[in-house]
Amino acid sequence: MLAEIVKAFSDEYKKTPVRVKVLDAFLVYALATAAVQFAYMLLVGTFPFNAFLAGFLSCVGFFALTVCLRMQVDPANKEFSGISPERAFADYCLANLVLHLVVWNYMG
Amino acid sequence: MRLFAKVGEASKYLALVGICVLAFSIRLFSVVKYESVIHEFDPYFNYRVTQFLTKEGFYEMWNWFDDRTWYPLGRVIGGTVYPGLIFTAGSMYRILHFFNIPIHVQEVCVFTAPLFSAFCALACYGLVSQARGPGAGLLAALFVGMVPSYISRSVAGSYDNEGVAIFALVNVFYWFVKTVNTGSVKDSVLCVLAYGYMVLSWGGYSFIINLLPLYCLACVFFGRMTGRLYVAFAPLVAIGTAMSASIPVVGFNAVLMSEHFGAFFAFVVLHVALLVGYVRRMLSRKHFYVLTTLVLGGAVAAGAVVASAVAAYVGKSPTLGWTGRSMTLLDPTYASRFVPIIASVSEHQPPQWSSYIMDLHILVALAPAGILACFSRLTDATLFLVMYGLTAVYFSGVMIRLMLVLAPAVCCLAAVALSDLLYVICGSLRCRPLFSLFPSSEDTAAAEGDAGDDASAGGSGSKEGAAGAAGEEATPKKKSKSRKSGSSSSSAAAKVYALPAVVSYGLLGMVLVLLGLYVVHCIHASADMYSSPSIVLQSPRQGGGYYVFDDFREAYAWLRHNTHPDAKVASWWDYGYQTTAMANRTVIVDNNTWNTSHIATVGRAMSSPEAKAWQIYRSLDVEYVFVVFGGLVGYPSDDINKFLWMVRIGGGVYPEIKEKDYLTPDGDYRVDAAGAKTMLNSLMYKLSYYDFADESQLSTGQRGIDRVRGYQIGRLNVKLNYFEEVFTSQHWMMRIYRVRDQPLRDPHPRAAKKGKGKAPAPRRG
């Protein structure tokens, strides 16, 4: 029955529009980068800690912002009806600018 | 008619401007009564750092190592100060000088706090308008602009972190609630920037970073979880943590200390909730249930592993990962048991009931009504107001200093309650057939708690009273056409709200009288109670007018002009900041109190006999020692009254100092003939009462009677062999002594005074 559930899920998932699937790919990429950084930290040690924190938080922040964009762009989502996808993307760019400025400053 | 809608809008903005001007000017009493001077102790440190910033520049201040305090240890200013206030004042100074307005940096510092209290009133207006409507917002702005608890820490001259931090706090809350209402990422970015400013300004940011996760968990728990909550919270945690780690004073504590773990936990919970919701939407019910049961077992096991890892990490530290400051807030008895320095500060004591009434007046009664009003029409924003109020009440009960965090919360809750009441009154006044052309007022179909950013004439009209109701009923009719609720609910609401006219007018009158009493009380509290700079004292004279005691500044000026620039000055830590700022001399300990054993060394010196104290001070290169003494004029906050704290703190590090040695056999603290021998032999006693017997006989006619303690002192004839008096201020409130290079060989020190000493000791008064 697990295979059945997975098949049902992937069938449903194929119906989502392409732009949302692209965003989902970005989410997977952000998670993978964060995991790689964390594994590297476990192997090599935490010095300099601020560099690790900056890189890790950059991935986490990018992940959170992309989830926000996905929620706003997904046509199946009714609660963000007041925000057009273009406006959502512009806000997303602004937020990423702030995130990466902070991260760049902290990296040292 | 559209004209009346415009008039409504304009009157709302006019009211806001008036509230800002009011909030600024009510804090100016100290400037009018005394002069434009920095108050208290801590603001002097902030002033000194701001002077340094404006003179030397940003990078110099950021990397400043201060060698004029905590001699011989020094202090890293860049890494131990919350620089928000200083950068704010420094930027204002730069902007003013760019436009060639030559205001001295002291004036900029003195007036920073009143300016930011006006901004705080605007932020409160924003917060409550998001929660309930612009009418309630205006009431909240009025309350916050005048509440005495906030005035006490933000008068003109009180240049301390709270002056800007309370504005930053309410600002973060406003942008957070706005993002929860609109769901736009732009608002979330502004919330993150506001949070960054808050972390820059005050250690109280840990209140925000724990309240917001609590609110998120409450929303998830009560089924109010929406995508907008995620947009508000998740970027705040991610970018906010990076921002707070960039500030040196927080540094790695942003991820390593328990204060922030709540935010990370809520972050994870929010993601899990979102994922569950997403999967539930994608699958059919049957599939979803099967998947849930399969995943739940694995999730519980993984959660247990993570929880035990966190518990192991946290269990390694004796305070479970919380910093010392947070521990004193969570466990009110922590400080008195483990950290006597924190316990000794007067503003860290729990408040009494009377201070709630004095500081909050009618808001104490209206705030619980506000909680009920918030629950009656519950939205995400009003739930947040309720949680803010409840958590702030707990913390205000721990420390009187945190009444300040409670003040905006009760103002917002009271504004919601009063606004609802006024809405009912004015709505029923409109219902009266004599005045209105329409039998049922359709505007009572009120906004069901929706985001109240649209300026409604009804909203501002309800605040201004029913006098203009006759002319305004046409406007509500036009506005009500655009409202979502149908006319059936409006007629039902009209039946509920239609109170008799006499009752409505009576209630309206009572509410206005109540508001008037509040305003009068706030002005009285500000003018009489919270405006004293505590560095200048006044007492009323018989013929009217005031007699001014300016001893402290007199003594610091003497130190500044009559001693070598590299001289080291020792005193109790209370006066450290003032000494470095006004006298510009190196001190041994100051108000930062980061090194308890250094303070204990000074405490030990003050409690030891003269010879031992002389050795301790010589080992620290101290050249001047001063004490604050109030016995001649009756000033109660002097060093003799603080002396037991010196003994306790000294005894905490040096076990040969025992508190019971300084008390009488009954356990009393006395300095008369019944006082303990160790007390009468201590350096503090000798430095305070040297020559006091003769002086008191000359000035008051009573030989040796201490006007603060109220009895005659124990040892009238005090001799000093190791110290030499060099300055005593006009009313004997500050007494400065020089540490002699060699002790006197002559046992009668009076004969030696004629030729020696750097300056004659002027006696005045």
Side-chain angles (χ1 to χ4, degrees), chain B residues 168-169 171-173 175-176 188-202 204-210 212-213 235-245 247 250 254 259-260 263:
Chain B
L169 182 86
N171 199 27
V172 173
F173 290 153
W175 284 110
F176 182 77
S188 182
V189 167
L190 288 166
C191 179
V192 165
L193 291 175
Y195 177 70
Y197 182 60
M198 177 71 197
V199 179
L200 262 183
S201 308
W202 198 31
Y205 78 91
S206 53
F207 176 66
I208 298 186
I209 203 65
N210 282 301
L212 293 182
L236 177 68
V237 169
I239 310 180
T241 308
M243 266 186 177
S244 42
I247 298 167
V250 177
E259 277 111 7
H260 299 86

Side-chain angles (χ1 to χ4, degrees), chain B residues 415-435:
Chain B
V416 170
L418 207 57
S419 156
D420 281 359
L421 177 65
L422 279 173
Y423 202 85
V424 170
I425 296 173
C426 299
S428 50
L429 280 173
R430 278 212 193 90
C431 264
R432 292 172 48 216
L434 267 144
F435 268 63

Side-chain angles (χ1 to χ4, degrees), chain A residues 25-81:
Chain A
F26 264 123
L27 288 176
V28 172
Y29 161 73
L31 277 179
T33 316
V36 164
Q37 289 190 6
F38 196 75
Y40 183 79
M41 185 269 289
L42 288 176
L43 279 174
V44 177
T46 59
F47 183 80
F49 195 57
N50 60 319
F52 162 68
L53 216 55
F56 190 73
L57 285 174
S58 147
C59 289
V60 170
F62 181 71
F63 176 82
L65 289 172
T66 314
V67 170
C68 295
L69 180 65
R70 187 196 192 278
M71 280 196 297
Q72 289 176 340
V73 160
D74 195 357
N77 222 333
K78 291 294 169 286
E79 26 182 60
F80 289 103
S81 49

